[in-house]
Amino acid sequence: MDVAVIGTGHVGLVTCVALTHLGHNVAGTDSDGEKITLVQRGGSPFHEPGLDDLLSQRVATGSLVFHREIADVVPGSEMVFICVGTPPRADGDASLLSVERSAREIARHATGSVVVVEKSTVPVGTAARLRTILLQERPDLDFEVVSNPEFLREGSALRDTLEPDRILVGAETTRGFDAMRRLYEPLTRRGIPLIETDLMTAELAKHACNAFLALKISFANAMARICDRAGADVVRVADIMGADPRIGRAFLDAGLGYGGFCFPKDLAAFERLVERLGAELPLLREIARINEEAVQSAAQNVKEALWNLEDKRIALLGLAFKPDTDDVRFAPALALARLLVAQGAHVLGYDPKAAANAKAELPELEVSVDPYDAAAGANCVVLCTEWQEFRALDLERLKNIMAYPLVIDGRNFFDPQIMRKLGFTYYPTGRPPVVPHRAAT
Ligand code: UGA
């Protein structure tokens, strides 16, 4: 099929590459001209495992092309995906300005009846508005609006798109469903379920999924606070809960909490939506509050351990909001850094991919070239993002170069027994600490 994709951010670019991988011809566009120049050469504007290779291959074969203008990608396309950003407004609501503009441009440049696919995460009712706009602009054309929310995670976005647990399609007519069935036939042929539902249900289900995943994380973090007081071990609690298939172990890892450009903003937007619908779900606010508390609690641990933070060097290992990405938007590591900097600490950070983005976001942060560079002379190391490469850390060396061997583990990454053996003062999250000496300054 001939497909156009508007917006080449994380979701859009992965969609472009994945659809060409499934055998379709894709033309992508973005309002950021520099980004288009880069992707036209086959380069990815962000780090996502496997994306660079597949992107450059597809661009080289010509099945994936990029243009600066929507006017250059819409004519002749049977299907147009809207993958533009829906950033949060000051009140937490999602800004749908780019979505609306995209719809108007699609209508202006469509040469025939087009299936418009809403891929960006949007509040329920957005598809209905899109249809109104398309018809206002071009009453002569027969548009179909389809909701096809994505469930990809940064860091495993290609795998999540090419081997999804399920594909969700919300539509209103057979034509819309048929187009989506044809598009995803290479996946459904392999047994991947395609769930068909109405537009409103598809839109709402996406918010429900993200809210529930965030709820699991916040539940684990609330348990961590209680385990800290009770002297219990939150990792074992999560294992025991997760052994029940009705609960499941995934997303019960306590730590610094969730970040990224999805959960925080989607939860806030969902809260606004619920309000607009005249309903109530105070649970959403509580999930966000517990998430903020996770970072505050880590900052408190640092302060408890180091007493006065002025003149103290604190090294953060991992700055991205999760491993395998260079994305630092709403990253818990940066939220923690801000709290520590505000109290006068000298904060250094190392990240395998996200250091430059972190520095741009928080200029007070000193970025280091490797974990040892960050830890040299540090009064405390905080593990913020569980990058696999930290598994290979020489902990003995780390201990010897620190001013004081104090580690705060914001992801329960290290083995407390090993930390004890090496002589660290070690504070995991929601697990009994390892404290060889009473005072640690
Ligand atoms: C999330 C969802 O997982 C995707 O299904 C969804 O498509 C995407 O949002 C979206 O709406 O676009 P993503 O934000 O990329 O994906 O990453 P996750 O793997 O979900 O991690 C989110 C945050 O939760 C990270 O900061 C991670 O460190 C944190 N997390 C995750 C925990 O603190 N504990 C856990 O047990 C799991």
Side-chain angles (χ1 to χ4, degrees), residues 2-6 25-29 73-74 77-82:
D2 291 320
V3 181
V5 175
I6 302 178
N25 296 312
V26 178
T29 184
V73 300
V74 168
S77 294
E78 303 162 62
M79 199 175 262
V80 183
F81 277 75
I82 299 182

Side-chain angles (χ1 to χ4, degrees), residues 230 308 358 403 423:
N308 298 301

Side-chain angles (χ1 to χ4, degrees), residues 65-312:
V65 295
F66 294 98
H67 296 285
R68 279 167 193 263
E69 304 296 333
I70 293 183
D72 294 324
V73 300
V74 168
S77 294
E78 303 162 62
M79 199 175 262
V80 183
F81 277 75
I82 299 182
C83 299
V84 294
T86 54
R89 294 185 190 276
D91 65 354
D93 222 343
S95 165
L96 298 172
L97 188 60
S98 300
V99 173
E100 179 184 343
R101 284 185 180 151
S102 303
R104 292 196 190 279
E105 289 282 297
I106 294 169
R108 252 169 240 151
H109 301 292
T111 46
S113 57
V114 176
V115 176
V116 176
V117 187
E118 168 192 274
K119 193 87 177 152
S120 306
T121 301
V122 288
V124 65
T126 304
R129 284 195 175 270
L130 286 180
R131 206 179 27 234
T132 308
I133 283 167
L134 291 162
L135 288 175
Q136 261 172 10
E137 294 281 338
R138 292 293 293 274
D140 56 313
L141 289 182
D142 189 15
F143 290 104
E144 196 67 46
V145 178
V146 171
S147 166
N148 176 215
E150 51 78 26
F151 296 104
L152 64 84
R153 287 162 296 180
E154 291 189 25
S156 55
L158 269 178
R159 198 182 55 229
D160 290 346
T161 311
L162 292 170
E163 294 164 37
D165 303 317
R166 79 295 206 196
I167 302 161
L168 175 57
V169 172
E172 290 199 323
T173 64
T174 316
R175 190 179 139 223
F177 286 121
D178 278 348
M180 298 308 278
R181 284 181 203 134
R182 274 199 296 139
L183 186 83
Y184 287 119
E185 196 273 335
L187 295 180
T188 52
R189 201 193 315 142
R190 290 185 357 229
I192 290 164
L194 188 147
I195 303 172
E196 299 184 358
T197 185
D198 61 276
L199 282 167
M200 302 286 199
T201 303
E203 290 173 327
L204 193 84
K206 166 68 191 188
H207 268 136
C209 287
N210 275 4
F212 195 79
L213 291 170
L215 165 69
K216 287 191 83 177
I217 299 168
S218 279
F219 188 86
N221 281 324
M223 287 304 112
R225 300 291 83 74
I226 295 168
C227 285
D228 276 336
R229 286 172 173 75
D233 182 339
V234 77
V235 176
R236 301 296 295 141
V237 170
D239 289 344
I240 294 159
M241 288 175 67
D244 183 335
R246 292 172 303 175
I247 298 174
R249 179 65 177 82
F251 279 68
L252 283 180
D253 289 324
L256 288 181
Y258 59 78
F261 210 50
C262 299
F263 288 168
K265 90 177 167 65
D266 286 358
L267 249 77
F270 196 25
E271 212 181 307
R272 291 279 90 75
L273 171 78
V274 170
E275 256 171 45
R276 271 205 305 281
L277 294 173
E280 276 182 23
L281 190 51
L283 178 64
L284 295 174
R285 168 103 9 114
E286 185 59 10
I287 295 169
R289 190 198 62 76
I290 295 170
N291 196 53
E292 283 158 25
E293 189 184 68
V295 170
Q296 287 156 3
S297 161
Q300 190 55 33
N301 282 347
V302 176
K303 197 167 162 46
E304 282 289 322
L306 296 184
W307 195 13
N308 298 301
L309 293 188
E310 295 91 345
D311 302 334
K312 301 279 161 58

